[in-house]
Amino acid sequence: MSVNFIKGIIEHRMKIKRGFTIIEMLIVVSMVAAITTMQIRAVSKYMELHRKEINYSRESFYVNEAFMIIENQVINAKYIDIKDNMIVLKRYDNKGYDYIKKHKNNCIVISYGSSNSSTLNNILKGIKDFKVKRLGRVFYVSINMEKGNLYKRCFAIEREKLTEDLY
């Protein structure tokens, strides 16, 4: 075999093979599809976790805002009392009482003037349960949200009602 003969065979093969075979193309396409599928799954799992974290963060923010509103109402009341799972707030202007309670449409409200007043202010929506429990000069508020998260906070009772001041 001469060198020219081998050289001729190599040149001939170079001229014939100018593209890829179907099998080579199928292998490349299947590898790209497998890699893309893994990336899509990873991104969708990340997006789901991110969405859950955003929802929890938003819920936590609104519950903390509700606790801040309750605390502000307690601080600005002449005195407070806990009665029938409600926070009873005596106004400084001596024009009656306000009530913080669970309303029938799964929200916490401030009811102005009477416990069943039509004048309401929503504090927090989407609750499953709202409980108020008094122990000495402290009362505990627990809010159970519809999504199952439970939030608790305690508040000091600085001013109590006098015995001659009845509601």
Side-chain angles (χ1 to χ4, degrees):
M1 283 190 161
S2 73
V3 174
N4 288 336
F5 178 71
I6 295 174
K7 193 175 185 183
I9 292 174
I10 292 174
E11 286 176 2
H12 179 7
R13 285 203 173 197
M14 293 296 277
K15 289 179 185 176
I16 292 175
K17 189 172 183 183
R18 293 187 181 184
F20 300 106
T21 64
I22 292 177
I23 293 176
E24 291 172 332
M25 287 300 290
L26 287 174
I27 290 172
V28 169
V29 168
S30 65
M31 288 173 53
V32 169
I35 292 170
T36 305
T37 303
M38 287 188 289
Q39 289 177 341
I40 289 172
R41 284 183 183 167
V43 169
S44 64
K45 283 184 181 180
Y46 171 77
M47 295 286 286
E48 182 181 341
L49 288 173
H50 179 70
R51 192 173 16 256
K52 284 180 182 177
E53 183 62 31
I54 290 292
N55 289 338
Y56 175 76
S57 177
R58 184 177 294 139
E59 177 183 273
S60 178
F61 173 79
Y62 287 133
V63 170
N64 285 326
E65 286 289 316
F67 282 136
M68 288 172 53
I69 291 169
I70 292 170
E71 181 178 28
N72 187 41
Q73 293 293 319
V74 167
I75 288 171
N76 291 325
K78 187 173 184 180
Y79 62 81
I80 70 157
D81 193 16
I82 307 303
K83 179 182 172 188
D84 299 328
N85 208 34
M86 290 188 288
I87 303 169
V88 181
L89 307 160
K90 173 69 175 171
R91 296 184 193 169
Y92 264 111
D93 60 6
N94 290 325
K95 292 185 179 179
Y97 296 87
D98 297 330
Y99 302 84
I100 299 175
K101 64 179 188 156
K102 179 183 177 187
H103 196 257
K104 59 187 171 191
N105 58 354
N106 292 340
C107 59
I108 300 172
V109 298
I110 301 175
S111 178
Y112 298 105
S114 123
S115 65
N116 294 320
S117 173
S118 61
T119 308
L120 302 174
N121 190 3
N122 282 330
I123 296 176
L124 181 64
K125 294 181 178 181
I127 68 164
K128 188 189 310 182
D129 197 18
F130 174 71
K131 292 185 181 174
V132 182
K133 184 176 182 181
R134 180 179 179 163
L135 292 172
R137 296 190 53 84
V138 175
F139 70 95
Y140 298 89
V141 175
S142 65
I143 300 172
N144 193 359
M145 299 300 290
E146 288 177 344
K147 294 180 181 177
N149 297 321
L150 178 65
Y151 300 89
K152 295 180 179 182
R153 190 75 44 96
C154 66
F155 299 94
I157 299 174
E158 296 178 13
R159 296 173 299 280
E160 295 183 87
K161 72 175 178 145
L162 301 172
T163 54
E164 68 271 1
D165 204 6
L166 299 173
Y167 48 88

